[in-house]
Amino acid sequence: MEEFRINQAQSLLRDAIKSKTNKETLKSPKEGIINVKVFEKLLNLLFEAEEFIYTSRPTHELDMETATLFAGKIIDARTEIDEILSDFGVINKPDSEEDIKEYSKDLLILTTKNSFKKAITKFGVDPQRIIVAGVPLDPEDMKLLNPKIPEAALIPIEKKIAHVKSDIERKMEQFKLKNIIVLVENDKPGEILGNRAETLYNAQTVTKENLKDITVAEFIKIVS
């Protein structure tokens, strides 16, 4: 699990570096309303980052793995800061629909629930480029979720897995897609799906605590 989180943080670091190449001019704030939910999320991320201060005493030195995890928290916090600043006109609010169309044009998105698909679709992503994998991508992975599952019960699951894989291959070819992102919550099904997709398709996995609450700014960061 720890290796999974480290890999995710490394992916976020690479995306953040790519998405912050242009200089941004800060403007004078305008009137606005504080998005309390975003602000609370920002504080929670900073509290999580603060733990590294205590665990790295007395030198506060971080090795590669913990530095990656720490930086990932700071990058997530910066996403929330950017959203708050854009609400008050300090930085430009991105042209969300156009940005999402541009950044996601070469992507196929895998997730684990229809409710997550709906959350992503509302940002303007073509639902045809989102696949809900309600089962793992390998029958053996089902045993990780349910070690006591009978062999007979795996037969219909194998058929569902074959359908999902066929759907992936068909859409990658149909839409001339180049990359796959697995967007899931931080739970066992999401971890298993992400690990197998990375092995099979060299996919990138991004986890969120609650995908239903994902913001446009967060989603743009993920796909950019």
Side-chain angles (χ1 to χ4, degrees):
M1 182 63 179
E2 191 66 15
E3 182 181 356
F4 174 73
R5 298 292 292 168
I6 290 168
N7 289 337
Q8 175 209 344
Q10 288 172 336
S11 295
L12 288 172
L13 283 168
R14 289 193 293 269
D15 290 342
I17 291 169
K18 289 189 294 184
S19 64
K20 286 293 180 181
T21 54
N22 297 325
K23 291 185 178 179
E24 196 162 31
T25 303
L26 300 182
K27 302 175 183 178
S28 298
K30 63 180 183 180
E31 293 181 353
I33 298 174
I34 298 174
N35 188 325
V36 177
K37 182 178 291 188
V38 172
F39 192 79
E40 289 176 348
K41 189 172 182 180
L42 167 62
L43 290 180
N44 288 333
L45 286 165
L46 292 177
F47 285 142
E48 291 173 8
E50 186 183 24
E51 288 298 315
F52 290 87
I53 300 295
Y54 305 126
T55 57
S56 63
R57 286 175 175 172
T59 63
H60 301 305
E61 293 183 11
L62 303 179
D63 59 25
M64 181 65 72
E65 291 184 359
T66 51
T68 301
L69 293 171
F70 173 72
K73 296 293 183 184
I74 299 301
I75 288 169
D76 282 346
R78 186 172 67 177
T79 297
E80 309 308 323
I81 291 173
D82 285 352
E83 183 165 349
I84 292 172
L85 291 178
S86 67
D87 285 342
F88 288 91
V90 177
I91 61 176
N92 290 329
K93 191 180 286 286
D95 186 347
S96 303
E97 186 172 345
E98 289 304 314
D99 280 353
I100 288 174
K101 285 182 179 178
E102 176 63 25
Y103 290 133
S104 64
K105 65 181 181 182
D106 294 327
L107 292 175
L108 181 68
I109 299 173
L110 293 185
T111 191
T112 53
K113 295 180 182 178
N114 279 308
S115 58
F116 300 162
K117 179 178 179 177
K118 291 179 181 178
I120 301 167
T121 303
K122 70 181 181 181
F123 298 142
V125 179
D126 183 355
Q128 291 296 316
R129 303 188 184 203
I130 306 171
I131 292 178
V132 178
V135 291
L137 295 176
D138 189 291
E140 289 301 310
D141 289 344
M142 199 66 204
K143 296 178 182 179
L144 298 176
L145 290 173
N146 182 7
K148 296 182 179 180
I149 188 169
E151 290 295 324
L154 289 176
I155 296 175
I157 291 175
E158 288 176 354
K159 293 181 180 179
K160 291 181 180 179
I161 291 173
H163 176 75
V164 171
K165 287 184 174 181
S166 175
D167 211 16
I168 291 172
E169 293 171 4
R170 178 178 59 82
K171 291 190 175 187
M172 291 293 286
E173 182 177 352
Q174 176 183 355
F175 297 111
K176 309 300 181 186
L177 305 179
K178 298 178 180 178
N179 300 300
I180 296 176
I181 285 183
V182 181
L183 184 55
V184 290
E185 289 189 339
N186 185 21
D187 54 22
K188 196 67 175 177
E191 177 187 353
I192 290 172
L193 178 65
N195 286 341
R196 185 61 67 177
E198 289 173 13
T199 300
L200 293 176
Y201 307 110
N202 195 31
Q204 174 192 337
T205 301
V206 177
T207 61
K208 291 291 178 182
E209 292 304 317
N210 191 337
L211 273 179
K212 293 180 182 179
D213 293 336
I214 192 171
T215 65
V216 174
E218 285 178 312
F219 187 74
I220 290 175
K221 297 280 187 184
I222 290 170
V223 299
S224 62

